């Protein structure tokens, strides 16, 4: 037998948000008496980290530490409107709405600080630690906790803000079909390195190289987790997951998740991920969407790597050992297989 190594790549572009009659999301923010700013959203965190991103956007806009921001993803009864968590729109839509709300709250915060310090609001700045102070000087200054107490119990002011990001609807041009269906496009490329056992048909993914252009990675650690977790999902779709392996026949279809095959920890390849930052003009601090696209590029990259390794072109998922072996049989029966240019290197030798 031989274990044949191949490399394949695939690139994708993916839209952020949708047209959907405007596709808006709203955010509300207010300060408590102790200077904690509460963001109220109806945007659901499915594990993608929208609560962290919302807190980051608010803290950056307010000029306060993240410890002073609390995110409340309420529900559709008590929270402001959101179209939903889909279309890789969360960071873009919610981030923009939060920035707008926080900017409005910041303006009120500086107005109250100006009254307390007896200076002009335009002469004040925040230092990122919770202190509002005169620009270029440490004095006069006031901490956000003291300011919030004064706003509530001395000035009778509510430090709050509202924000809504609205993607204007775009109607198709009748003559051409031209329209603007999304807000921006993110891009990605994955290179897969695989090993194919030509006796068993088993495909093992050895390495994945992921390059993503997502505008700006607001939280690089979470973005990396999302890319690599999505790559795991893509690999799972490519090699393992199926509900009807012999459709339309029901033979061997899984009956529950004990039978439904997915890759485990030992199947996860080494991954190398990097981000190319090209900030989007309409994104929150330049960010685009990233969520759904992370499972896309690995699938065709693995298919191309299998072809590079053994000459078998598979066009139906999953790329099972049976399909690999059938492809190898067809190549042996019908024509000499296409030999990759790197055939004969050590990883292509018989073992």
């Amino acid at each position: 037998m031989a274990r044949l190594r191949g490399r394949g790549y695939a690139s994708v572009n993916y839209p952020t948000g949708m047209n959907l009659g405007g596709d808006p999301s709203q955010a509300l923010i207010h300060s408590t008496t102790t200077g904690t700013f509460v963001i109220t959203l109806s945007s659901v965190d499915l594990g993608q980290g929208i609560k962290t991103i919302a807190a980051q956007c608010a803290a950056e806009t307010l000029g306060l530490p993240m410890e002073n921001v609390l995110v409340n993803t309420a529900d559709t009864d008590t929270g402001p409107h959101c179209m939903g968590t889909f279309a890789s729109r969360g960071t873009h839509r919610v981030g923009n709405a939060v920035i707008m709300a926080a900017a409005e709250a910041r303006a009120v915060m500086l107005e109250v600080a100006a009254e307390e310090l007896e200076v002009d609001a335009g002469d004040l700045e925040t230092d990122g630690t919770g202190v509002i102070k005169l620009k270029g000087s440490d004095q006069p200054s006031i901490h956000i906790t003291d300011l919030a107490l004064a706003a509530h119990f001395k000035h009778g002011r509510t430090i709050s803000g509202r924000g809504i990001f609205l993607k204007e609807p775009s109607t198709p041009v009748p003559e051409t079909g031209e329209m603007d269906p999304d807000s921006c496009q993110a891009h990605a490329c994955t290179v897969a390195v695989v090993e194919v056992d030509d006796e068993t048909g088993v495909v093992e993914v050895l390495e994945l190289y992921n390059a993503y252009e997502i505008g700006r990675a607001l939280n690089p650690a979470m973005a990396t987790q999302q890319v690599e977790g999505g790559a795991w999902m893509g690999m799972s779709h490519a090699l393992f997951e199926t509900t009807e392996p012999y459709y339309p026949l029901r033979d061997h279809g899984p009956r529950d998740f004990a039978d439904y095959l997915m890759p485990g920890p030992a199947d996860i390849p080494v991954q190398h991920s990097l981000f190319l930052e090209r900030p989007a003009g309409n994104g929150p601090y330049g960010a685009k969407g990233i969520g759904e696209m992370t499972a896309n590029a690995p699938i065709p990259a693995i298919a191309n790597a299998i072809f590079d390794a053994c000459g078998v072109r598979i066009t139906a998922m999953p790329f099972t050992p049976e399909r690999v072996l059938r492809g190898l049989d067809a190549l042996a029966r019908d024509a000499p297989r296409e030999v990759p240019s790197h055939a004969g290197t050590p990883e292509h030798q018989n073992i």
Side-chain angles (χ1 to χ4, degrees), residues 38 45 68 96 133 163 178 208 221 223 242 284 305 320 342:
V38 180
D45 195 324
N68 284 79
N96 276 323
K133 64 184 185 67
E178 178 186 359
L208 291 174
T242 181
T320 60
H342 58 267

Side-chain angles (χ1 to χ4, degrees), residues 8 14 18 39 51 62 66 74 113 162 168 200 223 236 253 311 321 332 336 339 341 351:
Y14 206 87
M18 299 177 70
I39 303 171
K51 293 178 74 171
L62 290 166
M66 275 190 65
R162 304 149 298 171
E168 291 295 333
T200 64
S236 186
V339 180
S341 60
I351 60 172

Side-chain angles (χ1 to χ4, degrees), residues 255-291:
R255 293 168 296 179
D256 53 42
F257 281 109
D259 297 331
Y260 189 73
L261 194 60
M262 290 185 287
D267 303 303
I268 298 175
V270 175
Q271 297 200 49
H272 315 269
S273 303
L274 60 85
F275 297 100
L276 308 174
E277 294 193 315
R278 302 291 188 273
N282 63 3
Y285 296 109
K288 302 177 183 179
I290 182 177

Side-chain angles (χ1 to χ4, degrees), residues 5-49:
R5 185 169 295 194
R7 181 183 291 110
Y9 76 91
S11 58
V12 300
N13 71 300
Y14 206 87
T16 297
M18 299 177 70
N19 198 30
L20 289 181
D23 195 19
S25 283
Q26 292 178 308
L28 302 175
I29 187 169
H30 75 276
S31 171
T32 66
T33 56
T34 58
T36 296
F37 282 78
V38 180
I39 303 171
T40 304
L41 303 170
S42 289
S43 307
V44 177
D45 195 324
L46 302 175
Q48 80 278 27

